């Protein structure tokens, strides 16, 4: 029925199977939309946020998807600026994943601000002393860049490409893509960093506060570094997952291995920097604020030393060691394990830097305050996942996302 | 965002912040304008019309 829209020389499932898959995921999407409407119509009383937790599940989800979407800017940087030509075979998918992550982040923010009709205030009446203003600027601009990077893929659809103007526009966008990629890398460096900077400048919260250079605390650089390291791991993970679901090899092993190797070295250097930062904070910064390390990891039901060990060693050092070794990258199982651990690690880091910061008592009369999200918060956080799955399914079906697909999966006549 | 909005001040913070924003928006805008105009000219010259089956 829709065969005229499917790229030439590739095999896709029947329209019935496809509709069933999209329909099932669509039910989850509708559940999220219902919760989103509740938040917009009834207000933020639908959440479990309170005076302790002004930042909660949504901000964690925001920071996590922005870090995971970092695969787009870093792969683009490697492909167009550094000149790693092999990555042209995975850059489309990295851009699509980045587009989904950033549009999801903006959607979550639109729910989180409670008054989406006043969302434009952050631009019009900008507080130029706020790192979050910089985040809003860079996030919006970079989403524009990702849209521009995704646009030629849409225009390469078999039917759209027949329109001469669209064909020429797609061709021209490809020609100047390096300019957009460089702009994207510039914007990403600052907004990824500023998200870390938001926590690092909280001098009233010794758990988060860090020293730094000029106006930037060390967390600024650690956030950018970790996004560049773990974003490509997320791209690899989703690529392998897509291959499992479609039962096809979509990207050649050497391309994945190259990205995994670069990601591994980035992750290793990041983990070393993170360990040094943690040691200095535990030995110097926190004691200067009147706290000992174990004050942050005891007398509460959730946050123990396990979270630090899991984040830095199990989900940092371990995947880094797997990815920098040739045998680790070549084995599909260990490669997947490393990618999943890196994704969990960066998500855990964002959780700690948002939620644990809020939970730790600051004043002598304070106590640990725990938080569990309402179902509306959970549903609206799952909403972007369902949206992402549907957009990937539609894009994979109708757009030439994987340039090597035809070669790797020849159709026998 | 603009000098004509009441809270605007000609200080370093506003110049750096807003300068960065407008710099990025200018590059994105010029890039897209170039691509669209060139595509229109190419199409008028008949390019891309006969590349299909």
């Amino acid at each position: 029925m829709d065969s005229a829209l499917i790229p030439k020389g590739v095999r896709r499932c029947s329209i019935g199977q496809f509709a069933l898959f999209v329909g099932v995921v669509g039910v989850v999407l509708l559940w999220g939309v219902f919760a989103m409407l509740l938040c917009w119509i009834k207000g933020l009383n639908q959440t479990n946020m309170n005076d302790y937790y002004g930042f909660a599940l949504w901000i964690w989800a925001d920071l996590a998807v922005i870090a995971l979407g970092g695969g787009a800017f870093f792969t683009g940087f490697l492909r167009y600026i550094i000149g790693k030509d092999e990555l042209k075979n995975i850059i489309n998918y990295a851009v699509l994943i980045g587009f989904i992550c950033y549009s999801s982040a903006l959607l979550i923010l639109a729910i989180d601000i409670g008054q989406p009709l006043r969302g434009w205030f952050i631009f019009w009446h900008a507080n130029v002393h706020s790192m979050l203003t910089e985040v809003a600027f860079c996030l919006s601009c970079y989403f524009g860049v990702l849209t521009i990077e995704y646009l030629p893929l849409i225009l390469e659809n078999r039917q759209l490409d027949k329109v001469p103007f669209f064909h020429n526009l797609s061709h021209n966008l490809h020609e100047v893509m390096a300019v957009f990629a460089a702009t994207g890398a510039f914007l990403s460096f600052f907004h990824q960093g500023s998200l870390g900077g938001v926590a690092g400048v909280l001098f009233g919260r010794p758990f988060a506060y860090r020293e730094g250079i000029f106006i930037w605390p060390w967390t600024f650089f650690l956030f950018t570094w970790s996004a560049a390291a773990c974003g490509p791991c997320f791209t690899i993970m989703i690529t392998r997952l897509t291959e499992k679901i479609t039962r096809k090899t979509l990207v050649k092993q050497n391309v994945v291995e190259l990205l995994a190797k670069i990601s591994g070295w980035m992750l290793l250097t990041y983990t070393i920097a993170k360990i040094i930062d943690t040691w200095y904070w535990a030995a110097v910064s926190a004691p200067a604020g009147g706290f000992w390390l174990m004050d942050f990891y005891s007398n509460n039901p959730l946050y123990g030393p396990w979270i630090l060990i899991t984040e830095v060693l199990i989900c940092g050092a371990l995947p880094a060691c797997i990815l920098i070794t040739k045998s680790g990258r070549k084995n599909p199982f260990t490669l997947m394990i490393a990618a999943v651990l890196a994704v969990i690690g960066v998500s855990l880091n964002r959780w700690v830097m948002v939620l644990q910061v809020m939970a730790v008592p600051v004043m002598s009369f304070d106590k640990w305050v725990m938080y569990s999200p309402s179902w509306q918060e959970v549903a609206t956080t799952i909403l972007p996942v369902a949206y992402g799955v549907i957009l990937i399914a539609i894009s994979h079906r109708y757009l030439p996302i994987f340039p090597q697909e035809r070669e790797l999966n020849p159709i026998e006549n | 965002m603009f000098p004509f909005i009441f809270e605007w001040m000609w200080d370093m913070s506003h110049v750096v912040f807003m300068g960065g924003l407008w710099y990025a928006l200018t590059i994105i805008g010029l890039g897209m304008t170039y691509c669209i105009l060139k595509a229109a000219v190419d199409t008028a010259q008949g390019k891309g019309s006969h590349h299909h089956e």
Side-chain angles (χ1 to χ4, degrees):
Chain A
M1 201 167 93
D2 61 343
S3 55
L5 293 167
I6 293 172
K8 282 201 100 179
V10 298
R11 195 188 298 277
R12 294 288 181 264
C13 65
S14 69
I15 185 75
Q17 268 183 307
F18 179 71
L20 183 68
F21 177 78
V22 171
V24 170
V25 183
V27 172
V28 181
L29 183 94
L30 288 176
W31 179 53
V33 170
F34 174 64
M36 180 180 79
L37 292 175
L38 278 179
C39 292
W40 275 345
I41 294 165
K42 295 190 172 182
L44 294 180
N45 60 1
Q46 300 294 299
T47 73
N48 281 353
M49 291 194 286
N50 52 39
D51 287 346
Y52 278 96
Y53 284 94
F55 282 178
L57 186 73
W58 285 332
I59 294 295
W60 164 75
D62 250 356
L63 265 63
V65 294
I66 287 169
L68 299 175
F73 97 84
F74 194 59
T75 313
F77 174 76
L78 292 170
R79 160 81 175 89
Y80 294 107
I81 313 298
I82 305 292
K84 295 282 178 191
D85 205 41
E86 300 97 309
L87 297 180
K88 68 184 177 199
N89 297 307
I90 203 167
I91 185 73
N92 291 349
Y93 207 36
V95 164
L96 174 59
I97 293 167
F99 179 84
I100 290 167
C101 287
Y102 276 79
S103 50
S104 299
L106 289 173
L107 174 68
I108 294 171
L109 281 176
I111 306 169
D112 199 3
I113 57 176
Q115 285 268 28
L117 291 178
R118 294 183 186 170
W120 56 280
F121 275 29
I122 199 165
F123 300 99
W124 200 259
H125 304 291
N127 172 9
V128 294
H129 303 290
S130 165
M131 289 228 178
L132 282 176
T133 305
E134 189 194 333
V135 171
F137 285 2
C138 291
L139 205 71
S140 312
C141 290
Y142 185 53
F143 178 64
V145 170
L146 281 169
T147 307
I148 292 169
E149 290 182 342
Y150 183 38
L151 186 61
L153 275 175
I154 299 171
L155 297 178
E156 279 171 17
N157 169 269
R158 210 164 129 196
Q159 296 305 317
L160 288 177
D161 195 49
K162 286 180 181 170
V163 180
F165 177 76
F166 289 159
H167 175 83
N168 290 325
L169 180 58
S170 165
H171 177 74
N172 293 336
L173 283 168
H174 276 301
E175 274 192 347
V176 297
M177 200 52 82
V179 176
F180 293 121
T183 311
F186 168 80
L187 292 166
S188 289
F189 177 83
F190 280 101
H191 76 248
Q192 295 278 3
S194 289
L195 284 171
V198 169
V201 297
L202 296 174
F203 57 86
R205 292 185 179 271
F207 180 72
Y209 179 71
R210 298 290 192 277
E211 284 85 1
I213 300 171
F214 193 39
I215 60 165
W216 297 293
W218 297 124
T219 46
F220 179 99
F221 304 99
L222 289 173
F223 264 50
T224 304
W225 208 333
S226 57
C230 301
C233 286
F234 187 63
T235 306
I236 292 170
M237 189 186 96
I238 298 296
T239 304
R240 288 296 188 231
L241 208 58
T242 311
E243 288 180 335
K244 285 273 179 222
I245 293 167
T246 58
R247 292 188 214 120
K248 278 187 279 191
T249 307
L250 298 168
V251 181
K252 283 185 181 172
Q253 182 67 13
N254 69 315
V255 177
V256 173
E257 277 181 33
L258 174 66
L259 195 58
K261 184 181 175 183
I262 295 168
S263 188
W265 282 106
M266 288 294 292
L267 190 56
L268 183 71
T269 48
Y270 162 72
T271 306
I272 293 168
K274 175 75 185 170
I275 289 170
I276 294 169
D277 170 73
T278 305
W279 171 79
Y280 187 82
W281 161 74
V284 180
S285 310
F291 286 82
W292 298 105
L293 179 65
M294 285 312 291
D295 291 338
F296 302 122
Y297 296 101
S298 56
N299 298 322
N300 78 87
L302 178 64
Y303 301 110
W306 70 269
I307 202 162
L308 187 61
I309 293 165
T310 306
E311 182 203 328
V312 179
L313 298 179
I314 300 171
C315 296
L318 179 61
C321 291
I322 293 172
L323 293 176
I324 59 167
T325 55
K326 203 172 182 179
S327 54
R329 291 193 301 272
K330 279 206 176 299
N331 184 324
F333 178 72
T334 52
L335 176 68
M336 191 64 173
I337 291 286
V340 171
L341 284 178
V343 167
I344 293 172
V346 76
S347 305
L348 198 58
N349 172 264
R350 286 358 183 212
W351 181 278
V352 165
M353 295 307 281
V354 175
L355 275 299
Q356 195 173 347
V357 169
M358 302 285 158
V360 174
V362 177
M363 301 294 183
S364 55
F365 51 83
D366 265 347
K367 56 183 189 306
W368 282 84
V369 180
M370 293 293 117
Y371 152 85
S372 59
S374 68
W375 75 263
Q376 291 91 334
E377 287 175 273
V378 174
T380 43
T381 304
I382 293 172
L383 160 66
V385 179
Y387 146 74
V389 172
I390 291 173
L391 192 56
I392 284 177
I394 293 171
S395 299
H396 173 255
R397 188 171 178 84
Y398 298 118
L399 307 177
I401 300 284
F402 299 101
Q404 295 175 318
E405 186 183 355
R406 262 193 286 190
E407 181 192 342
L408 290 167
N409 308 275
I411 296 175
E412 292 162 17
N413 292 314
Chain B
M1 191 171 185
F2 297 107
F4 56 78
I5 297 173
F6 69 90
E7 71 263 39
W8 178 273
M9 278 187 286
W10 284 105
D11 58 13
M12 190 58 83
S13 302
H14 279 78
V15 171
V16 170
F17 244 85
M18 296 303 162
L21 173 68
W22 288 112
Y23 174 68
L25 286 175
T26 304
I27 292 175
I28 296 168
L30 283 177
M32 272 311 283
T33 307
Y34 166 79
C35 290
I36 292 169
L37 288 180
K38 190 164 183 293
V41 171
D42 289 346
T43 308
Q45 289 173 346
K47 287 183 189 169
S49 301
H50 306 291
H51 63 283
H52 289 287
E53 71 274 37

